[in-house]
Amino acid sequence: MQSLDQIARWPVDNAAAVVLSRDEGVIGEYGDQQRVFPLASVTKLLCAYAVLVATEEGAVELDQSAGPEGSTVRHLLAHASGLAFDANRVQTAPERKRIYSSAGYEVLADFLTAETTIDFADYVAESVFVPLSMSASALVGPAGHGAESSAGDLGRFAAELMRPTLVSPDTFEAATSVQFPGLDGILPGYGSQRPNDWGLGFELRSHKSPHWTGLRNSPQTFGHFGQSGTFLWNDPGAGLACVVLTDRPFGDWAKPLWTELSDAVLAEGRRS
């Protein structure tokens, strides 16, 4: 795809990207598809998916108590538990505010480990990485931001999100639908959002502005970006998904470039 050539002009040393079409599979690649990058918060997509698989297997339930008083697995996945961003500390009661919490994912990982007696990193590998042939991927740190992967592997994960095989249609619909509607909160790097819609692990584009996806992305778009300079979005309205990994931390440099790239990918992908 010619749109991916934009990345060559980005102020990064290394980058890799892949674009997929729901009907045609991979339609564009950039860079070394096997190079491993730290994912930062894109990790949450992989860990959330493992938790969703665990619900399918009956190991845990979405509305099972977990985390602070009054919180459940569902609350932790949707950043509605009331836990602080970076510490296992209660800031408010559940369902009062969308507090983006990496710490909540660590609590969730510990909970799943206790319920299954399987180390969470191993559970993610066995439930997501192995069945999707994501051999370059691993959870090497915290569940909120400690995974590493390649564009090739995340392309396989993005393909799963287009046609789910590891979870049921009902579970996937819930995961990509607004959980606890109407909650306001801060989208890291982009400020206050009213509301700050979120699914079960998946950040929902909805009508947020500003946002890290493109202006052309439909409100149904879901995904995540990471502070390591990474993102993955899936736009069901366009039938397209895009993964970009870089080795430069997210900052002001990324905001216009990510939006321009996403818009160009959507324009070109719809014509193909």
Side-chain angles (χ1 to χ4, degrees):
M1 297 183 73
Q2 292 183 350
S3 51
L4 296 181
D5 293 341
Q6 293 182 20
I7 299 173
R9 301 188 293 274
W10 287 10
V12 301
D13 292 328
N14 296 282
V18 59
V19 176
L20 298 94
S21 160
R22 184 170 52 231
D23 298 326
E24 302 173 45
V26 174
I27 59 174
E29 294 179 344
Y30 177 92
D32 182 353
Q33 296 294 294
Q34 303 308 312
R35 184 183 181 91
V36 173
F37 293 82
L39 299 183
S41 286
V42 173
T43 298
K44 292 181 176 70
L45 296 182
L46 304 173
C47 292
Y49 216 66
V51 174
L52 295 177
V53 173
T55 68
E56 296 281 314
E57 295 176 343
V60 298
E61 297 179 2
L62 284 173
D63 295 316
Q64 185 175 353
S65 295
E69 184 177 356
S71 173
T72 65
V73 171
R74 188 187 302 271
H75 286 102
L76 290 168
L77 284 170
H79 300 288
S81 71
L83 286 177
F85 165 68
D86 58 357
N88 188 0
R89 172 175 53 84
V90 175
Q91 281 191 212
T92 185
E95 294 183 48
R96 297 288 180 82
K97 187 176 182 181
R98 190 86 64 187
I99 301 174
Y100 180 78
S101 178
S102 280
Y105 273 67
E106 295 174 36
V107 170
L108 191 56
D110 290 343
F111 174 76
L112 193 66
T113 295
E115 292 293 306
T116 64
T117 69
I118 302 171
D119 180 79
F120 186 69
D122 292 336
Y123 198 95
V124 175
E126 294 170 12
S127 63
V128 179
F129 298 157
V130 171
L132 296 182
S133 299
M134 297 173 64
S135 58
S137 303
L139 181 61
V140 297
H145 55 87
E148 57 185 25
S149 188
S150 65
D153 272 16
L154 285 185
R156 285 182 274 279
F157 182 66
E160 163 70 13
L161 300 181
M162 288 180 151
R163 298 184 185 278
T165 62
L166 302 183
V167 300
S168 69
D170 287 346
T171 296
F172 189 75
E173 182 179 2
T176 54
S177 300
V178 182
Q179 301 292 309
F180 312 109
L183 295 185
D184 298 338
I186 294 174
L187 178 62
Y190 289 87
S192 179
Q193 305 288 332
R194 298 176 179 274
N196 190 19
D197 289 341
W198 224 279
L200 298 175
F202 296 94
E203 196 244 311
L204 309 180
R205 195 206 187 293
S206 190
H207 298 284
K208 294 172 185 171
S209 180
H211 199 258
W212 54 273
T213 60
L215 300 176
R216 293 174 178 261
N217 278 99
S218 74
Q220 292 75 40
T221 301
F222 58 84
H224 219 293
F225 84 92
Q227 286 292 327
S228 58
T230 58
F231 70 76
L232 182 160
W233 58 250
N234 186 323
D235 188 337
L240 296 170
C242 182
V243 173
V244 174
L245 306 177
T246 78
D247 58 1
R248 181 175 180 180
F250 170 80
D252 288 341
W253 71 269
K255 293 179 180 180
L257 298 178
W258 284 5
T259 295
E260 290 168 9
L261 177 69
S262 294
D263 283 342
V265 164
L266 286 161
E268 185 176 3
R270 285 172 170 144
R271 291 196 301 267
S272 64

